[in-house]
Every structure is written in structure tokens, then in C-alpha cells.
Amino acid sequence: MGAGEFARLPSCVKPLNYQLQLTPLLENFTFNGKVNILSQVVQPTAQIMMNCADINIQKATFCPKSGVSMEPSNIQYNQENETLTLSFSEEIQTGMGTLSMDYTGILNDKMRGFYRSKYKKDGEEKYAATTHFEPTNARRCLPCWDEPALRATFEVTLVVPAHLRALSNECCVEDHVDENDSTKKVYKFAKTPIMSTYLLAVVVGEFDYVEAKSSYNVLTRVYTPVGKASHGKHALDIAVKAIDFYADYFKTPYPLRKLDLIAIDDFPIGAMENWGLVTYREPALLIEENSSSLFMRQYIAIVVCHELAHQWFGNLVTLDWWTHLWLKEGFASFMEYLATDHCHPSYQVWSQFVNDDLIRALDLDSLENSHPIEVPVGHPDEVKEIFDIISYNKGASIIRMLNYWMGDTNFRTGLRNYLQKYAYKSTVTEDLWSELEKVNNDPVEKVMSTWTRQMGFPVLDVKEVNSSNGNSVTLEISQKKYRANALQDDDSDALWMVPITISTSSGGGKHQKYLLDSRTTQVTVNQVTPDGWIKLNPDFTGFYRVNYSKELLDRLLQSVKQLSTIDRLNIVNDVFAMASAGVSSFVDYFRALEAFENEMDYPVWRDICSKLTQLKYMIWNDEKASMMFEKFTGNLTKIIFDKLGWEQEKNENHLTSLLRVLALSYCNDQKITEKCTTMFLNHLNGSELLPPDLREVIYRKYLSAVDVQAFRDILKLHENADSQEEENRIHSSLGSVKSEAAFNLVLDFVMSDKIRDHERPFLMRSLSSTHLYGREKCWEFVKTNWKFWNDKYAGSHLLGRLIQYTTENFATKEKSEDVKNFFEQNPAPGAERSLKQSIEKIDQKTLWWERNGAGIKKWLGEKFQ
């Protein structure tokens, strides 16, 4: 196999059990490792190939169960494919044997493999050692068969400084002072269940914890920085409830003896589901009772429930290969809502699913540079790029559609059968479809494969072909691939099997169901009065868009107050989608918003504000229009804020509280800004602290109004911040500065050691998306400092995020060419798909402006003349 070719590992040798000992040396950021791998030789071979990266093998032997120990005659590393090949002078015969290796590695600062994480204790900078292996970084901690289907058991031993605590997947069964070095302590952990390498985890550091037992007697702990044990109580409450909920829902008990959740200071993603030792970024796990926002409490509940869903979907039953990543991530992204709704029904998370998952997936999947849910992947760089909105959010959305189509009882029965049949095994997507199909005899695989194996989704054109006669009407429904830029240019032969539901004004809440399995069909809809409305996709359960005839859309808009929150959201979102595709104009969208003047539901306004923000980047192309558009947006949201007021009412609805923050953030009224300035200064001097829910938006208002001095004041808050949640609030607000002097100060801050590596790309998002000047400046800053960014994030998903955040908001051909030309000269391996999507989004907004710019300027001019 050549260096440039990728292939999965040979199947002649398979691991059964790893006995692993790790000794982290935090004084010089290295580690020593020893591993004994009980292996089964399936066919005679003179070579053993496994995965290995950034590790130096000091010694290797293979000892057959009945035979003489053998040393390899040659050890060869393939850096590009991250493999290690041990060659022996004679063939190893079939049977059992133990492969033993001593090696050394680096506790790197890249947040992958076995790495170091910086924290502070009593003002002193210290380091912990921790792991993050998914998808393909276990090989940076130990030589192993680092493929998800090659499962084995693990027995871990950690030798660590005596004052530190050590954790791994299973319970500690023995700890004692190291007989060879009294400054160290040895921790031995119980054998794990059979599992994939990417689920192995160790953490070494200083922690406090809170604990509780679930109803099924699972010892659950949340580990926190020293002195912050109380910050873990909210997550602990969620975890204990969720672990019981899943055990009941799946009719399968949690398989391990304990469950640990731990906050890591430096962590590349929100959280990771390592079996029995779930790792989190601090803001995704910990809250401070008096200063954490409602949004963050909800976020933590959802993230905890997501990772615990994986203890069954992903850990107990594992994907066979990364092509089926969605099988665990899509399901966890769906199950997180079921569990969070069980734990905290007041959060009303299903009302937010459409915003957070469904619409985000529709928006990305409308691009030509999207990808199917099931996408062939090989090299590790390809794997990292599909941990995205398609695998997670689209996956969750089509599962929600399937759940609605099958019915919850049949769906749940099928899931239980699947988990029980494939426990401790690896599966492909078809295995799940098969178990679900057995329950209700519907063609589940035939239907769902049209959603997982092809990119994109349909738009349904709907018109009346027979007016209401009595109480029924005939609709013609046709499907074609939705394209965000131009529906009329459709040349796709893609066809979906679409579960369609239809509701009517006189249907009493009952839905009529059909399965569209052809290009065009006609359906008779009952219970329709002559002037009544007809709505497809009630509750927005289907992963498709609807293009209504003018008559049908007008009836819906006139009757919008009769519809549910999610149905109102669905309509306004589809109207925007049709304008995006050129079927209508954005002026038509603005006019449609008039039907929502008295709208007071958060999910609807969240979508409207999101779409107005997308249009803002396009309208930045014209300074005068941009000023009028900002006024238009501010006027819309001030109406809402004036109704809600500054003060949260006692026992206020959760979504009302979120709406207040959203409305305030889009208001640009001078009196509101002045009040925000006064409130901030009172907060700064300690006379009256800001409500946690309003802090970030008030920080933004103050920075926008006061600029350089505001940045210096905000910096004081950052220096005294006692949580990463507060630091993140500050980071998100910094893009609000307006002057060049203030912006340069912020950029210096971004590059300073006050910012963690995983935070920089997100800070750049704030800087590049708030003001026109920031968008231009950030892109130039990235280009000028490309070596820094590439050296820091090469091989990480964060490089793709950085490219996305600092380029996708442009809206001219010139900028599209600039971005293309730069990356032709400065390739970004592993971020190619993110780059292509960003360029397509630039081209999309450029086309929007060409089609709509003149009309928008005319409409705004008439409105504000």
C-alpha cells in the first residue's frame, strides 16, 4: 500500500483485550506507556499492522499462547495513514497470543489523543492530563486497532503524582503508593465491557465532586474544579434522571457500575461520550447558581442527555464504520430532546427542536456542497469533516419524522429490539431499519434509504386542482430537489419517499397521512370548507419544504393566528426558503412578516431574527440600505421588548424569558442603549449586578456605545471571571466594538494567552459577524496570520470552523474569488468541505443581492422616506 492510499486495517490479527499502563510526566509533557494486547491471529501472517501516531516504540514482542516470544525484525511507521507495521522473520501461526510494547509519547497541546489541559488553582497555573480519542486519536495514546468495529476489553493502570486523582472508564479496584517511587500513586481499574478504542478515556488532575445514585443504583458523579463541587449539582440532577429514563425507555439497564461526568478546562468539543467517563467543556457541565443564565441551564441539560443517550446508542451498540456515524449521532441528537423533556418539561425543548436542529439541517442540506447522511469515508481527515449538522441535526430530524410516521409505540419497540439484538456488537444502518420494519410491516428501509443515501431533500409544490365541493378538495402535490439558489434550474432526478401529513382549518386537529412515492400525485383532502386553510407538514415533522400556490398561502397567512406556534414558524420559514430559491422575492418575505406583527412566541421570532441576520450580511453591500434595514429590524423587535419589559415575572414561562433576551439583542433604540450603559456601570462597580440572562446582551450594548473604554471595562470583568460561562459571554460580546482602535485591542486580546485555543475560532465568529468593519478586518487578519492558525488547528475541526466563521458572511463575487485564491495557495487539509460550503454561501448571498437588491432598496426607501 502506497503512502497516499488509504485502506482499513488487515483482518488477519484482531485484538481481544488491552492491558494498558500509562505514566503521564506533567513536568515535561511526555508520557510512558506499556501495553499487552491479547490478540487472535485469524490467519498466518508475518506482519502485524495497527494504528499508531506520534508514538515511539521502544520495545515490541509477540508471544504466542504456546510458543516462543518473537521480536519484530523491522518496525515501520506510515505517518500519512497513521499506521505501524511490525514485520517478523517468520510467520505467526493462527491462535491466541500477546503483543507487548513499551513506548513513549507526548502530552500534546492539540486537544487530541493524550494531552495536557491548563487550569488555575489558587492563582497558580497547573496542568492536568486527559484524553480525547474520537474519531481516530486513540492511536496517539497507545498502538491499537483504532477502528470502531474492532472492539476489545480494556484494563487500565495509571501511575500518577501522588497528590493527583486518576479516573478511567471503569471503577478503581485498587490504589496504592508506587513501590518504586513514593511520590507516585498507582490506580488500577476494573476491566471494561467490550468496546471501541475511541470510547477509552483517562483523566489525571485535581477535582472535587458531587454524587448521587440513580433509581437503578448507578453511582453517578460530576467532577468539578477544586472548590466548585456545588457547580455540578444541576448536571448531576439531570444525569441521574436521564440514566433512569433511558433504562426504562430502552428496557435495557445501564451496563457499567458507575457513571462519571467531568469538566475539562481545555476541550475541543462540547462533550464526549466515553463509556462511564463522559468529558465536557466546563460551560457544558457546570453552572453557578446565582450567575448562570436560563439558556445555559437548558443547554447543559440537553448536552448531558445527548452524551448519556450514547451510553446505549454508540457505546452498547457501535457503528461498524464512520459511514454510519449518523446512526449514533442522529439518534443521540433526537433522544436528547426526549430525555430533557422528561427531566425538565418547563424548558419546552420540543418547541425549540425545529430552530436548533431541523431548520439548521435544512439550510445546510440545501447547498450543493452538502453530503448524504451516509457518506463513504476513509482517511481520518475525511472522518472529522462529517461530524457536522448533517450527521447530527439532519439525522435527528429524519428520526423524528420516522417516529411520527411509525407512531411512538412501534418506534420504541423497534429500538428496544435493536439494542437487545446487537448489544456489544457493531451495526450498519440497515440493521436498524430491519428491526423497525419488523414491528409494523411498513417499508421502513425503502422509505428511509431515500433520506440517508442521497443528499438534499424535496420541496413539495402544492396547488388545488379541484375546489372544495362539500367538504373535500383535491390537491396536486409534486416533488423536486430543493436548491437554495435556484429551483427553476432543477436538473436532478432525485426522488424521495415522503411521509406527508395534512391538517385543515375544520379538521379538529386530526391529520391526514399519505406516502408520496412518485414525482407527482393527487390527493383528496377531507374536512375542508370553501374558504378554509390547508396546511402540509403540521408540527413541521417532515424534512421537506412546501411551496404553496398563492391562493393556499394567502389563506394560511390570513389565518396564521389559528395555527400552532410550530406551524406559524413552519410557514414563515418556508416563505423565506422560496425567496432564497428565487421563486419569490425577499420583499415578499418582508410583507409576509406583517402577518406576525403581534407574534409573541420565541421559536417564531428566533427564526425570523436568524433570517434577518442572514439578509443583513447581503444588505451590507449598500450603506444606506443597511442603515434602513437596521432600523426595520430594530422596530420589529422593540415592539416585543416593550411588551415584555426589563423585569422577569414570577414563575415566568421559560420561552418568554428567552424571547426577552432575543428581542433586546436586536433593539437599537437609543434610550435602551443608555439604560444598558447605566446597568453595566452599576454591575461593574458592584452596586447592582446584572441579571444573568441579560448580561451578554448588555455587554454588547455597552461595547457598541462606549467602545475603547468599554473594552477596558469588559477586560476587568474577564480578569475576575470565575467561570468559563462568564468568559464566553464576554468573548461573544466583543464583536460589538465599532472603532478601529477598539477592534485592534480586541484582536490583540484574541492572540493573547488569556484565550484558550478552543475559544479563539468562536471569538473570531463574534468579531466577523457583528459589524461590516469586523467582517472585512477579520478575514484580512486570518490571511496575515495564517501560519499561526494553520499550525495551531491543522488536523482539528476547529480549522474548518475558523474558515467558516471568517468567510461565509461575504456577499460579493470579488470576495468569493479572494477566498478561493487564498486557499488555492494555502491549502487547509481536513477543512475542504467547510471551505466549499463557505464559498457557496458567499455565492448564494451574491446571487440574492443581484436578484433582490434593487427591490429591497426601493421597499426600504418607501418605508423610511
Side-chain angles (χ1 to χ4, degrees):
M1 181 174 70
E5 301 171 8
F6 177 83
R8 291 171 66 171
L9 295 171
S11 58
C12 51
V13 181
K14 294 184 178 179
L16 302 175
N17 171 264
Y18 295 82
Q19 292 184 339
L20 174 66
Q21 178 176 301
L22 295 171
T23 305
L25 305 172
L26 288 163
E27 62 273 16
N28 63 8
F29 303 135
T30 62
F31 66 91
N32 297 326
K34 297 176 181 287
V35 65
N36 298 317
I37 308 172
L38 178 63
S39 310
Q40 182 177 14
V41 181
V42 179
Q43 61 189 62
T45 180
Q47 290 186 330
I48 297 177
M49 180 186 286
M50 57 205 307
N51 293 114
C52 180
D54 303 331
I55 283 173
N56 291 313
I57 307 298
Q58 309 294 317
K59 179 183 178 183
T61 60
F62 184 84
C63 185
K65 188 173 183 181
S66 55
V68 180
S69 179
M70 308 164 63
E71 293 189 8
S73 56
N74 184 47
I75 299 177
Q76 182 180 1
Y77 300 91
N78 182 324
Q79 291 187 357
E80 184 172 349
N81 288 324
E82 300 179 344
T83 58
L84 165 72
T85 302
L86 305 174
S87 299
F88 296 87
S89 54
E90 57 184 82
E91 278 194 338
I92 303 171
Q93 300 304 308
T94 58
M96 307 285 277
T98 300
L99 176 62
S100 301
M101 285 174 279
D102 296 349
Y103 59 95
T104 59
I106 299 171
L107 289 173
N108 67 75
D109 61 354
K110 304 293 186 185
M111 295 180 289
R112 62 183 184 182
F114 198 15
Y115 71 93
R116 62 187 187 264
S117 172
K118 184 167 62 176
Y119 66 99
K120 282 189 177 181
K121 182 184 177 187
D122 300 327
E124 182 183 352
E125 199 171 85
K126 297 189 174 187
Y127 286 90
T130 187
T131 56
H132 179 64
F133 290 164
E134 190 181 34
T136 55
N137 288 307
R139 62 194 67 179
R140 288 180 163 79
C141 180
L142 71 155
C144 58
W145 283 262
D146 200 12
E147 296 182 358
L150 297 175
R151 299 154 68 106
T153 56
F154 294 83
E155 295 172 75
V156 176
T157 299
L158 296 172
V159 183
V160 307
H163 69 285
L164 299 181
R165 185 188 298 269
L167 303 171
S168 191
N169 303 77
E170 266 289 6
C171 300
C172 180
V173 293
E174 179 185 343
D175 64 89
H176 57 82
V177 175
D178 187 354
E179 59 187 27
N180 297 317
D181 184 350
S182 61
T183 68
K184 293 188 182 296
K185 195 171 182 180
V186 179
Y187 289 85
K188 292 187 177 181
F189 298 90
K191 182 190 291 188
T192 70
I194 185 170
M195 67 184 195
S196 303
T197 50
Y198 77 86
L199 296 171
L200 180 65
V202 302
V203 183
V204 177
E206 299 177 279
F207 322 110
D208 283 343
Y209 66 85
V210 286
E211 70 176 24
K213 284 192 174 182
S214 74
S215 299
Y216 292 102
N217 210 35
V218 177
L219 178 63
T220 306
R221 288 178 173 175
V222 174
Y223 285 87
T224 75
V226 173
K228 294 186 177 182
S230 63
H231 295 195
K233 289 181 179 178
H234 176 63
L236 180 66
D237 176 66
I238 298 293
V240 169
K241 290 177 180 176
I243 210 79
D244 286 341
F245 170 78
Y246 287 133
D248 290 337
Y249 188 91
F250 295 130
K251 291 297 181 192
T252 301
Y254 174 73
L256 276 66
R257 285 171 285 183
K258 61 91 173 176
L259 172 66
D260 293 334
L261 299 81
I262 185 167
I264 306 295
D265 288 80
D266 293 313
F267 199 66
I269 59 175
M272 174 59 206
E273 70 265 20
N274 318 297
W275 216 354
L277 178 56
V278 187
T279 42
Y280 295 80
R281 276 188 190 157
E282 183 181 305
L285 188 68
L286 307 182
I287 66 162
E288 205 285 311
E289 190 59 38
N290 296 318
S291 63
S292 289
S293 67
L294 285 172
F295 177 84
M296 289 307 297
R297 293 167 195 267
Q298 172 186 293
Y299 170 71
I300 287 169
I302 288 173
V303 175
V304 168
C305 289
H306 179 101
E307 303 309 324
L308 299 194
H310 277 310
Q311 307 303 301
W312 286 264
F313 258 95
N315 299 7
L316 180 64
V317 179
T318 304
L319 63 160
D320 177 76
W321 184 244
W322 299 109
T323 292
H324 306 282
L325 172 68
W326 89 278
L327 200 54
K328 72 181 187 75
E329 295 301 348
F331 262 90
S333 298
F334 171 78
M335 293 302 304
E336 72 189 34
Y337 284 88
L338 280 177
T340 303
D341 192 50
H342 169 81
C343 296
H344 265 284
S346 64
Y347 290 163
Q348 303 172 69
V349 289
W350 280 118
S351 294
Q352 300 171 69
F353 176 91
V354 172
N355 299 103
D356 291 331
D357 285 69
L358 177 58
I359 291 173
R360 291 179 68 205
L362 288 168
D363 287 348
L364 181 61
D365 208 28
S366 66
L367 301 179
E368 296 303 310
N369 286 291
S370 181
H371 64 82
I373 284 179
E374 293 183 77
V375 56
V377 292
H379 192 275
D381 282 346
E382 298 174 28
V383 177
K384 293 164 192 166
E385 279 217 286
I386 63 165
F387 280 79
D388 66 357
I389 286 172
I390 299 301
S391 297
Y392 286 69
N393 305 49
K394 182 179 179 180
S397 298
I398 68 164
I399 291 162
R400 176 172 171 259
M401 178 173 69
L402 174 62
N403 172 266
Y404 186 79
W405 179 48
M406 290 183 63
D408 186 66
T409 300
N410 286 338
F411 179 77
R412 187 186 302 202
T413 300
L415 290 190
R416 291 171 177 172
N417 294 343
Y418 168 80
L419 287 170
Q420 289 164 13
K421 180 175 181 177
Y422 293 105
Y424 305 105
K425 297 175 184 176
S426 299
T427 63
V428 296
T429 299
E430 291 73 22
D431 295 325
L432 176 62
W433 299 154
S434 176
E435 293 308 307
L436 291 171
E437 201 163 283
K438 290 174 184 175
V439 174
N440 68 343
N441 297 316
D442 284 326
V444 174
E445 181 175 351
K446 188 176 180 182
V447 171
M448 297 307 295
S449 63
T450 69
W451 297 93
T452 62
R453 293 179 184 171
Q454 59 185 346
M455 186 176 78
F457 58 89
V459 55
L460 306 186
D461 291 318
V462 184
K463 62 182 181 181
E464 285 186 27
V465 292
N466 235 344
S467 298
S468 181
N469 182 13
N471 68 343
S472 67
V473 65
T474 301
L475 298 180
E476 181 177 281
I477 304 175
S478 58
Q479 65 163 297
K480 59 187 172 187
K481 179 179 169 65
Y482 176 82
R483 283 186 165 90
N485 291 338
L487 282 187
Q488 62 269 29
D489 295 336
D490 179 58
D491 58 356
S492 171
D493 60 357
L495 192 68
W496 287 265
M497 297 185 72
V498 188
I500 294 176
T501 50
I502 300 176
S503 61
T504 66
S505 54
S506 52
K510 294 182 179 179
H511 299 164
Q512 299 169 50
K513 296 187 177 184
Y514 308 88
L515 183 63
L516 176 63
D517 57 1
S518 59
R519 185 71 60 191
T520 302
T521 192
Q522 291 189 357
V523 299
T524 299
V525 181
N526 298 315
Q527 296 177 315
V528 182
T529 57
D531 57 348
W533 54 261
I534 300 170
K535 186 184 181 299
L536 272 71
N537 207 8
D539 300 323
F540 213 163
T541 54
F543 196 77
Y544 56 85
R545 297 205 175 279
V546 181
N547 178 31
Y548 295 97
S549 68
K550 185 178 185 307
E551 294 77 11
L552 290 173
L553 179 60
D554 285 347
R555 274 186 244 161
L556 282 168
L557 290 174
Q558 290 163 11
S559 308
V560 74
K561 293 175 185 176
Q562 301 175 24
L563 303 175
S564 71
T565 299
I566 298 305
D567 282 341
R568 297 197 304 275
L569 165 57
N570 187 187
I571 290 168
V572 74
N573 185 262
D574 276 346
V575 170
F576 183 92
M578 294 309 110
S580 170
V583 174
S584 57
S585 73
F586 286 123
V587 170
D588 293 329
Y589 174 71
F590 297 151
R591 289 177 179 142
L593 292 184
E594 294 172 1
F596 296 84
E597 274 185 346
N598 297 310
E599 179 62 56
M600 290 299 292
D601 275 355
Y602 171 73
V604 179
W605 273 110
R606 178 139 172 237
D607 184 65
I608 291 171
C609 289
S610 170
K611 295 302 183 275
L612 293 176
T613 298
Q614 288 183 40
L615 294 177
K616 173 185 76 172
Y617 303 131
M618 169 190 75
I619 298 173
W620 277 350
N621 286 349
D622 185 283
E623 183 178 357
K624 185 178 179 181
S626 183
M627 292 173 63
M628 290 188 289
F629 185 70
E630 185 177 352
K631 188 175 181 180
F632 168 65
T633 304
N635 289 349
L636 281 176
T637 50
K638 187 176 184 300
I639 295 170
I640 307 164
F641 185 72
D642 286 345
K643 289 180 180 179
L644 295 174
W646 291 88
E647 301 294 330
Q648 184 174 325
E649 295 181 2
K650 186 178 180 181
N651 300 321
E652 184 173 85
N653 182 287
H654 178 71
L655 296 186
T656 300
S657 299
L658 296 183
L659 179 62
R660 175 180 292 104
V661 178
L662 180 69
L664 178 59
S665 68
Y666 279 84
C667 284
N668 46 40
D669 179 80
Q670 183 61 32
K671 289 183 179 179
I672 286 177
T673 301
E674 289 171 0
K675 177 160 185 175
C676 287
T677 297
T678 301
M679 292 174 72
F680 177 87
L681 293 174
N682 289 339
H683 178 77
L684 185 66
N685 65 32
S687 62
E688 186 176 358
L689 296 183
L690 290 169
D693 293 334
L694 298 183
R695 284 188 189 179
E696 182 182 324
V697 64
I698 290 177
Y699 293 171
R700 286 178 175 272
K701 300 292 184 188
Y702 180 63
L703 281 161
S704 181
V706 182
D707 217 46
V708 172
Q709 183 57 46
F711 172 71
R712 296 189 178 118
D713 291 339
I714 286 282
L715 209 56
K716 293 176 188 175
L717 294 181
H718 193 274
E719 289 167 357
N720 296 321
D722 192 39
S723 71
Q724 285 192 28
E725 179 185 345
E726 174 67 2
E727 290 176 358
N728 288 348
R729 282 192 195 109
I730 293 167
H731 299 163
S732 295
S733 69
L734 288 175
S736 297
V737 298
K738 288 183 176 178
S739 74
E740 182 176 357
F743 205 90
N744 287 335
L745 289 173
V746 174
L747 287 176
D748 289 342
F749 179 64
V750 170
M751 302 300 276
S752 73
D753 60 4
K754 294 181 174 67
I755 302 298
R756 297 179 182 278
D757 287 343
H758 71 255
E759 296 168 340
R760 282 194 185 90
F762 299 95
L763 225 162
M764 293 295 284
R765 173 173 59 179
S766 171
L767 294 175
S768 62
S769 63
T770 308
H771 295 302
L772 172 60
Y773 174 80
R775 182 181 70 176
E776 311 298 321
K777 183 79 172 180
C778 278
W779 171 231
E780 294 304 317
F781 188 75
V782 165
K783 290 192 290 184
T784 302
N785 297 278
W786 179 248
K787 186 178 187 308
F788 167 83
W789 299 110
N790 195 40
D791 289 349
K792 181 67 69 177
Y793 299 115
S796 164
H797 74 288
L798 291 172
L799 187 64
R801 292 285 181 89
L802 175 75
I803 292 169
Q804 173 190 342
Y805 295 154
T806 56
T807 63
E808 67 179 6
N809 294 331
F810 288 118
T812 65
K813 291 179 180 177
E814 292 75 18
K815 284 299 181 183
S816 178
E817 288 302 314
D818 183 28
V819 173
K820 288 178 198 171
N821 292 338
F822 179 79
F823 286 108
E824 284 175 3
Q825 301 299 317
N826 301 274
E832 292 91 348
R833 194 187 301 274
S834 295
L835 174 60
K836 288 178 182 177
Q837 290 171 351
S838 291
I839 291 170
E840 187 175 349
K841 288 178 182 179
I842 299 172
D843 295 340
Q844 179 187 63
K845 285 188 283 292
T846 302
L847 181 60
W848 284 355
W849 185 246
E850 290 174 356
R851 286 198 303 233
N852 294 272
I856 288 173
K857 287 191 285 186
K858 182 174 183 289
W859 185 81
L860 287 170
E862 292 170 352
K863 194 170 185 66
F864 294 105
Q865 62 184 347

